[in-house]
Protein backbone atom coordinates (compact mmCIF):
# COMPACT_ATOMS: atom_id res chain seq x y z
CA UNK A 1 0.00 0.00 0.00
CA UNK A 2 2.86 2.38 0.81
CA UNK A 3 4.62 1.96 -2.55
CA UNK A 4 1.66 3.09 -4.72
CA UNK A 5 1.16 6.06 -2.40
CA UNK A 6 4.82 7.12 -2.78
CA UNK A 7 4.54 6.69 -6.55
CA UNK A 8 1.42 8.87 -6.64
CA UNK A 9 3.09 11.54 -4.53
CA UNK A 10 6.16 11.49 -6.76
CA UNK A 11 4.02 11.76 -9.91
CA UNK A 12 2.05 14.64 -8.42
CA UNK A 13 5.25 16.37 -7.38
CA UNK A 14 6.74 16.03 -10.90
CA UNK A 15 3.51 17.33 -12.41
CA UNK A 16 3.41 20.41 -10.18
CA UNK A 17 7.10 21.09 -10.68
CA UNK A 18 6.50 20.96 -14.45
CA UNK A 19 3.50 23.31 -14.19
CA UNK A 20 5.47 25.67 -11.97
CA UNK A 21 8.34 25.75 -14.48
CA UNK A 22 5.97 26.46 -17.35
CA UNK A 23 4.30 29.28 -15.42
CA UNK A 24 7.70 30.68 -14.44
CA UNK A 25 8.87 30.65 -18.07
CA UNK A 26 5.67 32.36 -19.25
CA UNK A 27 5.95 35.02 -16.54
CA UNK A 28 9.64 35.56 -17.37
CA UNK A 29 8.89 36.00 -21.07
CA UNK A 30 6.01 38.37 -20.33
CA UNK A 31 8.15 40.35 -17.90
CA UNK A 32 10.92 40.77 -20.46
CA UNK A 33 8.35 41.92 -23.03
CA UNK A 34 6.32 44.03 -20.60
CA UNK A 35 7.07 47.37 -22.29
CA UNK A 36 6.50 45.97 -25.76
CA UNK A 37 3.17 44.52 -24.65
CA UNK A 38 2.23 47.71 -22.82
CA UNK A 39 2.85 50.02 -25.79
CA UNK A 40 1.54 47.57 -28.41
CA UNK A 41 -1.68 47.14 -26.41
CA UNK A 42 -2.47 50.83 -26.99
CA UNK A 43 -2.32 50.46 -30.77
CA UNK A 44 -5.52 49.21 -32.48
CA UNK A 45 -5.49 45.95 -34.39
CA UNK A 46 -7.48 42.82 -35.35
CA UNK A 47 -8.61 40.14 -32.90
CA UNK A 48 -5.79 37.92 -31.65
CA UNK A 49 -5.48 34.87 -29.39
CA UNK A 50 -2.63 33.70 -27.10
CA UNK A 51 0.34 32.03 -28.83
CA UNK A 52 -1.06 32.42 -32.36
CA UNK A 53 -1.94 36.11 -32.28
CA UNK A 54 -3.92 36.88 -35.46
CA UNK A 55 -1.98 34.37 -37.55
CA UNK A 56 -4.93 31.94 -37.67
CA UNK A 57 -6.70 34.46 -39.92
CA UNK A 58 -4.11 33.87 -42.62
CA UNK A 59 -4.87 30.27 -43.43
CA UNK A 60 -7.51 30.72 -46.13
CA UNK A 61 -5.47 31.32 -49.27
CA UNK A 62 -1.92 31.93 -50.41
CA UNK A 63 -2.70 35.58 -51.10
CA UNK A 64 -4.55 36.06 -47.84
CA UNK A 65 -1.46 36.98 -45.82
CA UNK A 66 -0.73 40.35 -47.38
CA UNK A 67 -4.27 40.94 -48.55
CA UNK A 68 -5.45 40.70 -44.94
CA UNK A 69 -2.72 43.03 -43.74
CA UNK A 70 -3.57 45.64 -46.37
CA UNK A 71 -7.29 45.43 -45.64
CA UNK A 72 -6.64 45.58 -41.89
CA UNK A 73 -4.48 48.66 -42.14
CA UNK A 74 -6.84 50.26 -44.64
CA UNK A 75 -9.66 49.98 -42.10
CA UNK A 76 -7.51 51.10 -39.13
CA UNK A 77 -5.42 53.81 -40.78
CA UNK A 78 -3.14 55.50 -40.14
CA UNK A 79 -1.62 53.15 -37.51
CA UNK A 80 -2.45 49.58 -36.49
CA UNK A 81 -0.79 46.39 -35.29
CA UNK A 82 -0.92 42.70 -36.15
CA UNK A 83 0.25 39.81 -33.96
CA UNK A 84 1.81 36.78 -35.69
CA UNK A 85 2.62 34.38 -32.87
CA UNK A 86 4.83 36.28 -30.43
CA UNK A 87 5.91 38.82 -33.06
CA UNK A 88 4.10 42.14 -33.31
CA UNK A 89 3.98 44.06 -36.60
CA UNK A 90 3.18 47.76 -36.31
CA UNK A 91 2.00 49.37 -39.52
CA UNK A 92 1.69 53.01 -40.51
CA UNK A 93 0.83 55.07 -43.58
CA UNK A 94 1.88 58.41 -42.13
CA UNK A 95 4.84 59.77 -44.14
CA UNK A 96 6.39 61.35 -41.03
CA UNK A 97 6.35 57.95 -39.28
CA UNK A 98 7.77 56.28 -42.38
CA UNK A 99 10.66 58.75 -42.50
CA UNK A 100 11.50 58.06 -38.84
CA UNK A 101 11.38 54.31 -39.39
CA UNK A 102 13.47 54.19 -42.57
CA UNK A 103 16.00 56.72 -41.28
CA UNK A 104 16.52 55.31 -37.79
CA UNK A 105 15.71 51.60 -38.05
CA UNK A 106 18.22 50.00 -40.40
CA UNK A 107 17.80 46.43 -39.13
CA UNK A 108 15.66 44.22 -41.34
CA UNK A 109 12.77 42.33 -39.77
CA UNK A 110 13.33 38.64 -38.85
CA UNK A 111 10.59 38.03 -41.46
CA UNK A 112 13.30 38.16 -44.15
CA UNK A 113 15.34 35.47 -42.37
CA UNK A 114 12.96 32.98 -43.94
CA UNK A 115 14.71 33.71 -47.25
CA UNK A 116 18.03 32.70 -45.68
CA UNK A 117 18.35 29.61 -47.84
CA UNK A 118 19.20 31.72 -50.86
CA UNK A 119 20.27 35.29 -49.91
CA UNK A 120 21.14 35.35 -46.19
CA UNK A 121 24.54 36.98 -46.89
CA UNK A 122 23.20 39.65 -49.25
CA UNK A 123 22.44 43.35 -48.92
CA UNK A 124 18.74 42.58 -48.51
CA UNK A 125 18.92 40.92 -45.10
CA UNK A 126 22.44 41.35 -43.71
CA UNK A 127 22.81 42.62 -40.15
CA UNK A 128 23.43 46.37 -40.04
CA UNK A 129 27.19 46.30 -39.42
CA UNK A 130 27.81 43.82 -42.27
CA UNK A 131 25.35 45.60 -44.53
CA UNK A 132 27.28 48.87 -44.11
CA UNK A 133 30.52 47.12 -45.09
CA UNK A 134 28.99 45.42 -48.13
CA UNK A 135 27.16 48.53 -49.30
CA UNK A 136 30.34 50.59 -49.11
CA UNK A 137 32.25 47.94 -51.07
CA UNK A 138 29.55 47.46 -53.72
CA UNK A 139 28.69 51.14 -54.36
CA UNK A 140 31.57 51.68 -56.86
CA UNK A 141 29.95 49.15 -59.22
CA UNK A 142 26.92 51.44 -59.59
CA UNK A 143 28.55 54.83 -60.19
CA UNK A 144 27.35 57.00 -63.08
CA UNK A 145 30.22 56.15 -65.44
CA UNK A 146 29.63 52.41 -65.14
CA UNK A 147 25.83 52.77 -65.37
CA UNK A 148 26.11 54.88 -68.52
CA UNK A 149 28.29 52.17 -70.10
CA UNK A 150 25.31 49.80 -69.87
CA UNK A 151 23.27 51.87 -72.31
CA UNK A 152 24.16 49.85 -75.42
CA UNK A 153 23.36 46.57 -73.64
CA UNK A 154 19.89 47.80 -72.63
CA UNK A 155 19.26 48.98 -76.21
CA UNK A 156 20.38 45.62 -77.65
CA UNK A 157 17.93 43.56 -75.60
CA UNK A 158 15.15 46.11 -76.06
CA UNK A 159 15.61 45.66 -79.80
CA UNK A 160 15.30 41.90 -79.31
CA UNK A 161 11.95 42.52 -77.61
CA UNK A 162 10.86 44.52 -80.65
CA UNK A 163 11.87 41.62 -82.91
CA UNK A 164 9.85 39.20 -80.77
CA UNK A 165 6.78 41.43 -80.87
CA UNK A 166 7.16 41.91 -84.64
CA UNK A 167 7.16 38.15 -85.17
CA UNK A 168 4.16 37.79 -82.86
CA UNK A 169 2.20 40.75 -84.27
CA UNK A 170 -1.52 40.06 -84.23
CA UNK A 171 -1.20 37.36 -81.57
CA UNK A 172 -2.49 37.87 -78.04
CA UNK A 173 0.27 38.08 -75.44
CA UNK A 174 -0.86 36.47 -72.19
CA UNK A 175 2.53 35.81 -70.59
CA UNK A 176 4.58 38.80 -71.63
CA UNK A 177 6.33 38.97 -68.24
CA UNK A 178 8.22 35.77 -68.96
CA UNK A 179 9.41 36.99 -72.36
CA UNK A 180 10.53 40.37 -70.99
CA UNK A 181 12.14 38.62 -68.02
CA UNK A 182 14.30 36.55 -70.38
CA UNK A 183 15.56 39.75 -72.02
CA UNK A 184 16.17 41.58 -68.73
CA UNK A 185 17.97 38.51 -67.35
CA UNK A 186 20.16 38.43 -70.46
CA UNK A 187 20.96 42.13 -70.05
CA UNK A 188 21.65 41.64 -66.32
CA UNK A 189 24.23 38.98 -67.18
CA UNK A 190 25.80 41.30 -69.75
CA UNK A 191 25.94 44.31 -67.40
CA UNK A 192 26.83 42.69 -64.09
CA UNK A 193 29.49 40.31 -65.45
CA UNK A 194 32.01 39.91 -68.27
CA UNK A 195 30.88 36.31 -68.88
CA UNK A 196 30.31 35.31 -72.49
CA UNK A 197 26.66 34.81 -73.52
CA UNK A 198 26.90 31.02 -74.00
CA UNK A 199 25.56 30.67 -70.43
CA UNK A 200 22.28 32.39 -71.25
CA UNK A 201 20.33 29.17 -71.81
CA UNK A 202 21.36 27.80 -68.42
CA UNK A 203 20.80 31.20 -66.83
CA UNK A 204 17.14 31.13 -67.81
CA UNK A 205 16.64 28.19 -65.48
CA UNK A 206 16.58 30.88 -62.80
CA UNK A 207 13.15 32.10 -63.90
CA UNK A 208 11.02 29.05 -62.89
CA UNK A 209 13.30 28.43 -59.89
CA UNK A 210 12.82 31.99 -58.64
CA UNK A 211 9.05 31.68 -59.02
CA UNK A 212 9.18 28.45 -56.97
CA UNK A 213 11.24 30.08 -54.20
CA UNK A 214 8.87 33.05 -53.96
CA UNK A 215 5.79 30.82 -54.04
CA UNK A 216 6.94 28.43 -51.31
CA UNK A 217 8.16 31.34 -49.19
CA UNK A 218 4.71 32.95 -49.22
CA UNK A 219 2.86 29.64 -48.76
CA UNK A 220 4.62 29.28 -45.42
CA UNK A 221 2.77 32.35 -44.18
CA UNK A 222 -0.71 31.23 -45.01
CA UNK A 223 -0.15 27.93 -43.17
CA UNK A 224 0.43 29.51 -39.77
CA UNK A 225 1.74 26.30 -38.15
CA UNK A 226 4.69 26.41 -40.55
CA UNK A 227 5.81 29.64 -38.89
CA UNK A 228 7.16 27.35 -36.18
CA UNK A 229 10.62 26.25 -37.36
CA UNK A 230 10.19 22.67 -36.12
CA UNK A 231 7.16 22.04 -38.36
CA UNK A 232 8.67 24.01 -41.25
CA UNK A 233 11.86 21.94 -41.22
CA UNK A 234 9.80 18.72 -41.39
CA UNK A 235 7.45 19.93 -44.12
CA UNK A 236 7.46 18.95 -47.80
CA UNK A 237 7.19 22.65 -48.62
CA UNK A 238 10.57 23.28 -47.00
CA UNK A 239 12.09 20.47 -49.07
CA UNK A 240 10.79 22.16 -52.25
CA UNK A 241 12.16 25.50 -51.05
CA UNK A 242 15.62 24.11 -50.29
CA UNK A 243 15.74 22.20 -53.58
CA UNK A 244 14.92 25.37 -55.52
CA UNK A 245 17.58 27.30 -53.57
CA UNK A 246 20.21 24.66 -54.40
CA UNK A 247 19.32 24.84 -58.09
CA UNK A 248 19.55 28.64 -58.10
CA UNK A 249 22.92 28.55 -56.34
CA UNK A 250 24.25 25.93 -58.79
CA UNK A 251 23.42 28.21 -61.74
CA UNK A 252 24.97 31.26 -60.05
CA UNK A 253 28.07 29.32 -58.99
CA UNK A 254 28.63 28.33 -62.61
CA UNK A 255 28.50 31.99 -63.64
CA UNK A 256 30.98 32.91 -60.88
CA UNK A 257 33.33 30.15 -62.03
CA UNK A 258 33.18 31.44 -65.60
CA UNK A 259 33.83 34.98 -64.39
CA UNK A 260 36.97 33.86 -62.54
CA UNK A 261 38.27 32.47 -65.84
CA UNK A 262 37.25 35.48 -67.95
CA UNK A 263 40.12 37.34 -69.59
CA UNK A 264 38.24 40.64 -69.14
CA UNK A 265 37.37 40.22 -65.47
CA UNK A 266 40.55 41.75 -64.02
CA UNK A 267 40.06 45.03 -65.92
CA UNK A 268 36.35 45.47 -65.23
CA UNK A 269 34.56 47.40 -62.48
CA UNK A 270 31.27 45.58 -63.11
CA UNK A 271 29.48 44.02 -60.20
CA UNK A 272 30.71 40.41 -60.25
CA UNK A 273 34.34 41.13 -61.28
CA UNK A 274 34.44 43.75 -58.52
CA UNK A 275 33.22 41.20 -55.95
CA UNK A 276 35.84 38.69 -57.10
CA UNK A 277 38.60 41.27 -56.64
CA UNK A 278 37.31 41.91 -53.12
CA UNK A 279 37.31 38.17 -52.54
CA UNK A 280 40.94 37.92 -53.61
CA UNK A 281 41.88 40.54 -51.01
CA UNK A 282 39.85 38.70 -48.34
CA UNK A 283 37.28 41.51 -48.00
CA UNK A 284 34.38 39.27 -48.95
CA UNK A 285 33.85 35.50 -48.67
CA UNK A 286 32.90 33.02 -51.41
CA UNK A 287 29.43 32.50 -49.92
CA UNK A 288 28.85 36.24 -49.78
CA UNK A 289 29.73 36.57 -53.49
CA UNK A 290 27.27 33.79 -54.29
CA UNK A 291 24.39 35.34 -52.41
CA UNK A 292 25.04 38.96 -53.41
CA UNK A 293 25.12 37.82 -57.03
CA UNK A 294 21.95 35.75 -56.58
CA UNK A 295 20.10 38.76 -55.22
CA UNK A 296 21.40 41.26 -57.76
CA UNK A 297 20.92 39.09 -60.84
CA UNK A 298 17.37 38.04 -60.05
CA UNK A 299 16.12 41.25 -58.42
CA UNK A 300 17.40 43.52 -61.18
CA UNK A 301 15.87 41.40 -63.95
CA UNK A 302 12.55 40.50 -62.34
CA UNK A 303 11.64 43.97 -61.07
CA UNK A 304 12.46 45.49 -64.46
CA UNK A 305 10.38 42.88 -66.31
CA UNK A 306 7.39 43.38 -64.02
CA UNK A 307 7.58 47.17 -64.25
CA UNK A 308 7.78 47.17 -68.06
CA UNK A 309 4.85 44.75 -68.28
CA UNK A 310 2.67 46.77 -65.91
CA UNK A 311 3.40 50.07 -67.67
CA UNK A 312 2.50 48.49 -71.04
CA UNK A 313 -0.71 47.07 -69.57
CA UNK A 314 -1.75 50.42 -68.11
CA UNK A 315 -0.96 52.29 -71.33
CA UNK A 316 -3.11 49.73 -73.14
CA UNK A 317 -5.96 50.65 -70.80
CA UNK A 318 -5.47 54.41 -71.26
CA UNK A 319 -4.86 55.05 -75.01
CA UNK A 320 -4.96 58.85 -74.62
CA UNK A 321 -1.99 58.72 -72.23
CA UNK A 322 -0.24 56.25 -74.53
CA UNK A 323 -0.68 58.70 -77.41
CA UNK A 324 1.01 61.46 -75.40
CA UNK A 325 3.92 59.12 -74.72
CA UNK A 326 4.12 58.30 -78.43
CA UNK A 327 4.10 61.95 -79.49
CA UNK A 328 6.95 62.65 -77.10
CA UNK A 329 8.86 59.68 -78.52
CA UNK A 330 8.29 60.90 -82.09
CA UNK A 331 9.72 64.31 -81.18
CA UNK A 332 12.80 62.76 -79.53
CA UNK A 333 13.18 59.73 -81.83
CA UNK A 334 11.96 60.94 -85.26
CA UNK A 335 12.47 57.54 -86.93
CA UNK A 336 11.58 54.07 -85.71
CA UNK A 337 15.08 52.79 -86.42
CA UNK A 338 16.78 55.42 -84.25
CA UNK A 339 18.08 53.90 -81.03
CA UNK A 340 17.58 56.10 -77.96
CA UNK A 341 20.78 57.68 -76.69
CA UNK A 342 21.42 58.64 -73.08
CA UNK A 343 20.58 62.23 -73.99
CA UNK A 344 17.33 61.10 -75.65
CA UNK A 345 16.33 59.15 -72.55
CA UNK A 346 16.92 62.17 -70.33
CA UNK A 347 14.48 64.18 -72.49
CA UNK A 348 11.58 61.72 -72.11
CA UNK A 349 9.93 63.60 -69.25
CA UNK A 350 6.36 62.45 -69.87
CA UNK A 351 7.39 58.78 -70.14
CA UNK A 352 9.25 59.17 -66.86
CA UNK A 353 6.10 60.56 -65.21
CA UNK A 354 4.07 57.64 -66.58
CA UNK A 355 6.55 55.17 -65.08
CA UNK A 356 6.47 56.97 -61.73
CA UNK A 357 2.68 57.08 -61.65
CA UNK A 358 2.58 53.36 -62.46
CA UNK A 359 4.96 52.64 -59.59
CA UNK A 360 2.79 54.80 -57.33
CA UNK A 361 -0.36 52.80 -57.98
CA UNK A 362 1.42 49.47 -58.38
CA UNK A 363 4.71 49.36 -56.45
CA UNK A 364 6.52 46.16 -57.43
CA UNK A 365 7.82 45.86 -53.86
CA UNK A 366 4.55 46.44 -51.97
CA UNK A 367 5.96 46.63 -48.44
CA UNK A 368 9.08 47.19 -46.34
CA UNK A 369 9.75 45.53 -43.00
CA UNK A 370 12.22 46.84 -40.44
CA UNK A 371 13.02 45.89 -36.84
CA UNK A 372 13.59 48.36 -34.03
CA UNK A 373 15.78 47.75 -30.98
CA UNK A 374 14.79 51.07 -29.41
CA UNK A 375 11.50 52.86 -28.80
CA UNK A 376 10.35 55.10 -31.66
CA UNK A 377 7.97 57.91 -30.70
CA UNK A 378 5.27 58.47 -33.31
CA UNK A 379 2.54 60.50 -31.62
CA UNK A 380 0.29 59.46 -30.02
CA UNK A 381 1.98 56.04 -29.91
CA UNK A 382 5.30 54.54 -28.97
CA UNK A 383 6.54 51.90 -31.40
CA UNK A 384 8.33 49.78 -28.80
CA UNK A 385 11.76 48.16 -29.03
CA UNK A 386 11.47 44.56 -30.21
CA UNK A 387 8.68 45.23 -32.70
CA UNK A 388 8.58 44.75 -36.47
CA UNK A 389 7.73 47.96 -38.31
CA UNK A 390 5.67 47.41 -41.45
CA UNK A 391 5.59 50.09 -44.14
CA UNK A 392 2.84 49.20 -46.66
CA UNK A 393 4.10 51.10 -49.70
CA UNK A 394 1.03 50.10 -51.70
CA UNK A 395 -1.28 51.89 -49.24
CA UNK A 396 1.07 54.80 -48.59
CA UNK A 397 1.00 55.52 -52.33
CA UNK A 398 -2.80 55.53 -52.38
CA UNK A 399 -3.45 57.49 -49.19
CA UNK A 400 -6.19 60.10 -49.83
CA UNK A 401 -4.63 62.25 -47.12
CA UNK A 402 -1.63 62.71 -49.42
CA UNK A 403 -2.92 62.10 -52.95
CA UNK A 404 -6.01 63.75 -54.40
CA UNK A 405 -8.17 61.20 -56.23
CA UNK A 406 -5.60 58.51 -55.35
CA UNK A 407 -7.11 55.84 -57.62
CA UNK A 408 -6.96 58.03 -60.72
CA UNK A 409 -4.03 57.40 -63.09
CA UNK A 410 -2.50 60.84 -63.53
CA UNK A 411 1.17 61.16 -64.61
CA UNK A 412 1.08 64.93 -64.02
CA UNK A 413 1.22 64.28 -60.27
CA UNK A 414 4.95 64.11 -60.87
CA UNK A 415 5.39 67.54 -62.37
CA UNK A 416 8.18 69.29 -60.42
CA UNK A 417 5.93 71.87 -58.74
CA UNK A 418 3.62 69.13 -57.42
CA UNK A 419 6.44 66.94 -56.13
CA UNK A 420 7.76 69.75 -53.91
CA UNK A 421 4.40 70.05 -52.15
CA UNK A 422 4.42 66.44 -50.91
CA UNK A 423 6.31 64.85 -48.05
CA UNK A 424 9.41 63.09 -49.37
CA UNK A 425 8.25 59.78 -47.86
CA UNK A 426 4.84 59.86 -49.49
CA UNK A 427 6.39 58.13 -52.54
CA UNK A 428 9.03 55.46 -51.93
CA UNK A 429 8.99 52.73 -54.62
CA UNK A 430 12.73 52.19 -54.04
CA UNK A 431 12.53 52.62 -50.24
CA UNK A 432 14.14 55.61 -48.53
CA UNK A 433 17.21 56.50 -46.50
CA UNK A 434 20.64 54.95 -46.47
CA UNK A 435 19.24 51.42 -46.84
CA UNK A 436 17.36 52.18 -50.03
CA UNK A 437 17.62 50.16 -53.25
CA UNK A 438 21.16 50.24 -54.62
CA UNK A 439 19.86 49.49 -58.13
CA UNK A 440 17.51 52.49 -58.38
CA UNK A 441 19.27 54.23 -61.30
CA UNK A 442 20.12 50.92 -62.99
CA UNK A 443 16.45 49.90 -62.92
CA UNK A 444 15.08 53.22 -64.14
CA UNK A 445 17.54 53.35 -67.06
CA UNK A 446 16.69 49.80 -68.11
CA UNK A 447 12.92 50.38 -67.86
CA UNK A 448 12.97 53.68 -69.77
CA UNK A 449 15.09 52.32 -72.64
CA UNK A 450 12.95 49.21 -73.08
CA UNK A 451 9.67 51.11 -72.92
CA UNK A 452 10.90 53.84 -75.26
CA UNK A 453 12.04 51.24 -77.80
CA UNK A 454 8.83 49.19 -77.65
CA UNK A 455 6.39 52.12 -77.64
CA UNK A 456 8.15 53.88 -80.51
CA UNK A 457 7.56 50.74 -82.59
CA UNK A 458 4.19 49.47 -81.33
CA UNK A 459 0.78 50.53 -80.19
CA UNK A 460 -0.43 48.33 -77.31
CA UNK A 461 -4.00 47.58 -76.32
CA UNK A 462 -5.61 45.44 -73.64
CA UNK A 463 -8.42 43.13 -74.69
CA UNK A 464 -10.18 42.59 -71.36
CA UNK A 465 -9.48 45.57 -69.07
CA UNK A 466 -11.16 48.99 -68.84
CA UNK A 467 -9.38 50.24 -65.71
CA UNK A 468 -6.16 49.50 -63.83
CA UNK A 469 -8.35 48.49 -60.86
CA UNK A 470 -9.55 45.47 -62.86
CA UNK A 471 -6.04 43.99 -62.93
CA UNK A 472 -5.81 40.95 -60.64
CA UNK A 473 -2.66 40.48 -58.58
CA UNK A 474 -0.64 37.81 -56.90
CA UNK A 475 0.63 39.12 -53.58
CA UNK A 476 4.05 37.48 -53.36
CA UNK A 477 7.38 39.00 -52.34
CA UNK A 478 6.75 41.21 -55.36
CA UNK A 479 3.40 42.37 -56.66
CA UNK A 480 2.69 40.38 -59.82
CA UNK A 481 -0.21 40.77 -62.25
CA UNK A 482 -2.18 37.70 -63.16
CA UNK A 483 -2.75 36.97 -66.84
CA UNK A 484 -3.87 39.94 -68.93
CA UNK A 485 -4.40 39.85 -72.68
CA UNK A 486 -2.28 42.35 -74.63
CA UNK A 487 -2.18 42.99 -78.36
CA UNK A 488 0.63 44.85 -80.16
CA UNK A 489 0.11 46.69 -83.44
CA UNK A 490 3.20 47.84 -85.33
CA UNK A 491 3.52 51.55 -85.99
CA UNK A 492 3.68 52.09 -89.75
CA UNK A 493 5.42 55.46 -89.75
Amino acid sequence: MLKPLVTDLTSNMVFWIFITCVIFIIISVLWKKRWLLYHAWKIPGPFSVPLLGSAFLLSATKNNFFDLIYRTLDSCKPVTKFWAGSEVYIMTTRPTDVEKILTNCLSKSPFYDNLGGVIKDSLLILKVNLWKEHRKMINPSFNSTILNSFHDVFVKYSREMVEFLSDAEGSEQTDLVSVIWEKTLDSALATLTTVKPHLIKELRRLIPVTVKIEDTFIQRFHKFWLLIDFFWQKSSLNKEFESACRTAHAVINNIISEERKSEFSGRSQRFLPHLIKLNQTKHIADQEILEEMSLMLVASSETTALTVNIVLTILGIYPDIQEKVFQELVSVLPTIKKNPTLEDISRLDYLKRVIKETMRLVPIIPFILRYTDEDIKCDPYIFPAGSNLFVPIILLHRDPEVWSEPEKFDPDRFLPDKITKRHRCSYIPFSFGSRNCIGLRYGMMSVKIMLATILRNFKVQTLDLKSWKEIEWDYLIMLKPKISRLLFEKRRL
Side-chain angles (χ1 to χ4, degrees), residues 312-313 315-316 322 455 458-462 486-489:
L312 290 173
T313 301
L315 288 178
Q322 183 180 174
L455 293 168
F458 293 95
K459 180 177 182 180
V460 59
Q461 55 185 302
T462 55
L486 301 179
L487 194 64
F488 290 83
E489 178 187 344

Side-chain angles (χ1 to χ4, degrees), residues 260 265-266 273 275-284 289:
R260 290 185 187 277
S265 188
L275 291 186
I276 289 174
K277 290 174 193 171
L278 292 170
N279 174 250
Q280 291 167 348
T281 55
K282 309 298 183 185
H283 286 93
I284 191 169
I289 292 179

Side-chain angles (χ1 to χ4, degrees), residues 169-377:
E169 186 181 7
S171 302
E172 291 180 17
Q173 298 300 317
T174 57
D175 189 22
L176 195 62
V177 171
S178 295
V179 180
I180 301 172
W181 195 353
E182 288 184 357
K183 302 305 177 188
T184 57
L185 194 57
D186 295 349
S187 67
L189 182 69
T191 53
L192 300 177
T193 79
T194 66
V195 172
K196 294 179 180 178
H198 68 274
L199 286 177
I200 282 178
K201 185 174 181 180
E202 180 182 3
L203 180 68
R204 289 179 181 172
R205 292 171 59 203
L206 282 178
I207 295 177
V209 168
T210 300
V211 171
K212 171 60 74 173
I213 290 171
E214 293 171 351
D215 184 60
T216 52
F217 174 77
I218 292 303
Q219 282 194 59
R220 181 179 184 182
F221 288 87
H222 88 275
K223 298 177 179 178
F224 62 85
W225 58 91
L226 294 181
L227 295 174
I228 301 169
D229 282 339
F230 175 80
F231 294 115
W232 170 245
Q233 295 297 332
K234 302 292 183 184
S235 69
S236 59
L237 203 61
N238 179 51
K239 290 182 175 61
E240 292 179 30
F241 179 78
E242 291 185 344
S243 174
C245 289
R246 285 193 297 271
T247 301
H249 277 173
V251 173
I252 303 295
N253 264 323
N254 195 19
I255 293 169
I256 294 170
S257 296
E258 289 292 314
E259 184 65 60
R260 290 185 187 277
K261 295 182 288 186
S262 171
E263 60 183 300
F264 305 105
S265 188
R267 302 191 299 273
S268 175
Q269 286 297 312
R270 292 183 181 181
F271 182 73
L272 184 54
H274 182 62
L275 291 186
I276 289 174
K277 290 174 193 171
L278 292 170
N279 174 250
Q280 291 167 348
T281 55
K282 309 298 183 185
H283 286 93
I284 191 169
D286 290 349
Q287 186 67 21
E288 291 170 331
I289 292 179
L290 171 63
E291 301 202 6
E292 291 288 12
M293 188 60 188
S294 298
L295 173 66
M296 200 63 65
L297 193 59
V298 173
S300 63
S301 61
E302 186 176 16
T303 54
T304 299
L306 288 169
T307 302
V308 169
N309 180 75
I310 293 168
V311 173
L312 290 173
T313 301
I314 286 180
L315 288 178
I317 294 170
Y318 301 107
D320 54 332
I321 294 176
Q322 183 180 174
E323 184 60 25
K324 289 182 181 179
V325 171
F326 178 66
Q327 292 304 324
E328 180 182 64
L329 286 168
V330 169
S331 68
V332 174
L333 305 171
T335 67
I336 284 178
K337 292 183 179 180
K338 185 180 187 301
N339 292 328
T341 65
L342 285 172
E343 183 183 357
D344 294 334
I345 292 299
S346 69
R347 292 168 58 197
L348 297 174
D349 293 328
Y350 191 70
L351 175 60
K352 183 178 180 179
R353 297 205 299 274
V354 167
I355 294 169
K356 285 189 171 184
E357 176 68 347
T358 301
M359 291 191 295
R360 180 188 72 83
L361 283 172
V362 190
I364 299 301
I365 306 296
F367 65 91
I368 300 169
L369 273 168
R370 295 285 173 86
Y371 178 85
T372 179
D373 51 13
E374 60 181 28
D375 293 349
I376 304 291
K377 185 171 178 58

Side-chain angles (χ1 to χ4, degrees), residues 104-161:
N104 299 303
C105 306
L106 298 182
S107 295
K108 289 300 185 83
S109 166
F111 170 88
Y112 294 105
D113 292 343
N114 297 293
L115 277 171
V118 64
I119 51 171
K120 66 181 176 65
D121 292 317
S122 70
L123 286 176
L124 180 65
I125 57 179
L126 276 174
K127 303 299 180 186
V128 175
N129 59 332
L130 288 173
W131 164 77
K132 287 180 177 178
E133 291 179 14
H134 278 221
R135 181 73 180 239
K136 186 177 180 180
M137 290 188 292
I138 290 172
N139 273 336
S141 293
F142 289 91
N143 65 43
S144 297
T145 302
I146 292 175
L147 287 175
N148 289 344
S149 73
F150 298 158
H151 166 266
D152 291 345
V153 176
F154 292 146
V155 169
K156 176 181 184 294
Y157 289 104
S158 297
R159 280 290 172 190
E160 288 190 7
M161 268 304 303

